[in-house]
Amino acid sequence: MAPRVASYGPLIRPPPSSATAVPPPLPPLDTPPFLKLGVVATASGSAYLEAPGVKLMAACHGPLPLPGSVASSGAYAAGPQLAATLSAPWAAAPAAAAAAAAAAATTAADGSAGGGGGGLTGSAVNVAAAATRTAAEAVAGVVAAALGPAIIGPSVPRCRIELHLLLLEGALDPAAAAAAGMGVGGVNSGGGGGADAADAVTAHAITVAAAALADAGIAVRDLVAGGLVPSPAGAGGGEQRAGGGVVAWGGDAIGLTYLRLGGWRGGDLAAEMGEGVVAADVGRSALRAVLARKVRRADRKRGRGG
C-alpha cells in the first residue's frame, strides 16, 4: 500500500514571531513527511520537507571537481568528498530572545541601570546565536556522516558533493527549542522537551538531504532516512513520545549509518531503537514514493508513461 503523504500547510510560511509561539506537537512515529523534489532550479538536485513543527530545504551540488591540491594528493580515489552545511536564519531568534529577556531580568533584579544592562543583554544574545551556529554545524556533520556510507563511491570518485540545507522552521538545540515551546516530554539530561524538537530537526535533515542526493542522480546503495528514537518509558510527556535520540537507517542493504541516544535510558533499549528504525522506514517509504512520481512524470514527458 502506498504510504500516506500529506501536506501540513503552505510550503513556506514565516517562522513564529516570538519566543512564546507554540508550534504543532511532534507527529506520531508513523506519520510520513511531505516531500517535494526539484525546488531549487540552480542545484543538481533539491528537495523540500515539511512535517509538523519542521520545514527544511536541501540543495545538492555535484559531482564537483576537487581542489587541485586535493586531487593531486590521490585523496578520495575510492569515493567523493561529501560536505554538508545547515543555515538556520530564524532558529536563533527564540533562544536569543529568551537569553535577552533573562539577562534583562537579571539586570533589573540586581538594580542595575544604564549602559551596563545593554551590554549584558547584547552578550546574552551573542552567546545564544553562537550556540545555534554550533548546533547547526553539528546537524550538518550528522547529515554527512549518515549519508556517506550510502553513496556508491566508485561511481563518483575524486570529486566533491555538497549538500546545503536551510532550516525554515524548527529548533536546533534544546535551549532554543524549549524557548519556542517545542517538543513534548523530557528526554536528554536537563534538556526537557526542547531536545525532542531538536532531534526531530536532525532526523528530518537526514531525510531531506537524502532526497536531494537522489534527485541529483547520485548513485546510492539504498535510500537512507532519519528516524526519532522514542523516549524511555517514564521520561515524561504523558502518553506522547518523541525524541529519545536519532537513527539513520538505510534498510537491510546498509543498516544503521548513524545512531545517537540522548539522556538516561529507562526502558527496553532494543525496542526503542527498533521503533526508531520503523520511523526511519516511514521516511524511506516517503522517499521512494516521491522518487517514483518523478520517474512517472519523466516517462510521461517522453511519451512512454500511462
Side-chain angles (χ1 to χ4, degrees):
M1 185 176 68
R4 295 180 292 114
V5 179
S7 174
Y8 298 100
L11 285 184
I12 299 177
R13 63 171 180 262
S17 58
S18 72
T20 59
V22 179
L26 293 176
L29 296 177
D30 61 349
T31 301
F34 169 81
L35 279 169
K36 181 178 177 64
L37 302 179
V39 296
V40 181
T42 57
S44 306
S46 57
Y48 169 83
L49 179 147
E50 183 173 339
V54 179
K55 292 182 176 67
L56 282 156
M57 291 179 66
C60 176
H61 297 274
L64 303 171
L66 288 169
S69 59
V70 178
S72 61
S73 69
Y76 304 105
Q81 178 189 45
L82 181 62
T85 64
L86 174 66
S87 300
W90 298 292
T106 301
T107 301
D110 292 342
S112 302
L120 179 61
T121 300
S123 176
V125 171
N126 292 337
V127 169
T132 302
R133 287 194 298 271
T134 300
E137 292 171 0
V139 173
V142 170
V143 169
L147 297 183
I151 297 175
I152 300 176
S155 67
V156 278
R158 295 184 178 87
C159 68
R160 178 179 173 89
I161 296 173
E162 297 180 355
L163 289 166
H164 300 288
L165 283 72
L166 175 64
L167 179 62
L168 300 167
E169 183 177 318
L172 286 172
D173 61 280
M182 303 181 76
V184 288
V187 182
N188 290 356
S189 302
D196 300 346
D199 284 345
V201 168
T202 302
H204 288 310
I206 295 169
T207 303
V208 73
L213 201 66
D215 189 46
I218 303 299
V220 294
R221 296 159 59 196
D222 206 338
L223 296 172
V224 173
L228 281 169
V229 178
S231 302
E239 295 183 357
Q240 290 185 328
R241 300 177 305 161
V246 177
V247 302
W249 171 249
D252 293 335
I254 303 176
L256 284 174
T257 61
Y258 180 81
L259 170 64
R260 186 185 73 233
L261 299 177
W264 60 273
R265 315 307 303 178
D268 186 338
L269 180 58
E272 292 161 11
M273 289 176 58
E275 291 194 46
V277 169
V278 169
D281 265 332
V282 172
R284 294 178 70 241
S285 295
L287 282 170
R288 283 193 294 267
V290 74
L291 290 169
R293 289 196 295 271
K294 175 183 177 178
V295 171
R296 287 196 295 269
R297 285 195 299 269
D299 285 345
R300 284 195 293 270
K301 287 182 179 180
R302 288 193 292 264
R304 296 190 286 108

